[in-house]
Amino acid sequence: QGFLYTAPVREQGNIYKPNNKMMADELSEKAVHDVHTKEIDLVNRDPKHLNDDVVKIDFEDVIAEPEGTHSFDGIWKASFTTFTVTKYWFYRLLSAIFGIPMALIWGIYFAILSFLHIWAVVPCIRSYLIEIQCISRVYSICIHTFCDPLFEAIGKVFSSIRA
């Protein structure tokens, strides 16, 4: 009534104000299962393989006895066990002490980085591109106006030379 066009109406209603109770329940369920509360994989803790080539260090990567220079078998086994267990438990101890504070620091750092990228870097780049487009057009007009005829004339002069 009185509008030039009608607003499209969805059967489910607005995504913020659903028409039916079932959709409202689905929406509230989706809000509970967002990115921050997603299930994490406790088995595969490096699904993107960030640390495959860096910190995957085993006993054989650090300590090795060449042929002809072997210690007693018991010493070798005890050294292997000591290295492996120490590395395992010391990592757990360090991650228990420093894991949450470091996660907090890195979370703050990446939040600041994201904020600066979203609110400062991208708008500055977009602004620059908009401003440089005007300069680019003026520059292009100047080049086509002054340089094109000059280079065409030079080309015609040198086109009659045969080598």
Side-chain angles (χ1 to χ4, degrees), residues 24-160:
D25 293 339
E26 285 178 22
L27 191 62
S28 64
E29 279 182 30
K30 287 179 184 175
V32 172
H33 298 294
D34 68 342
V35 180
H36 307 294
T37 59
K38 69 178 183 179
E39 289 266 337
I40 59 170
D41 188 358
L42 294 176
V43 177
N44 182 14
R45 296 185 184 191
D46 189 9
K48 296 183 180 179
H49 305 287
L50 296 175
N51 297 309
D52 278 354
D53 57 339
V54 181
V55 293
K56 206 181 224 183
I57 303 295
D58 291 325
F59 181 73
E60 298 83 16
D61 298 326
V62 179
I63 301 171
E65 293 181 335
E67 287 297 322
T69 310
H70 286 210
S71 60
F72 295 110
D73 290 345
I75 298 296
W76 186 252
K77 287 179 184 177
S79 298
F80 173 80
T81 304
T82 303
F83 176 89
T84 306
V85 170
T86 302
K87 184 182 92 162
Y88 178 76
W89 283 104
F90 199 73
Y91 175 79
R92 284 188 145 198
L93 176 69
L94 286 173
S95 60
I97 295 170
F98 298 109
I100 293 176
M102 291 301 294
L104 178 69
I105 290 168
W106 285 115
I108 291 169
Y109 172 77
F110 282 108
I112 291 169
L113 192 66
S114 297
F115 174 82
L116 289 175
H117 186 77
I118 291 166
W119 292 100
V121 174
V122 171
C124 284
I125 291 171
R126 294 285 185 196
S127 172
Y128 173 77
L129 291 174
I130 290 168
E131 292 163 7
I132 203 71
Q133 187 176 14
C134 177
I135 295 169
S136 168
R137 287 185 180 163
V138 171
Y139 177 76
S140 176
I141 290 169
C142 289
I143 292 295
H144 289 303
T145 303
F146 299 112
C147 294
D148 283 357
L150 175 68
F151 291 131
E152 267 184 52
I154 291 172
K156 286 184 181 180
V157 167
F158 287 116
S159 68
S160 62

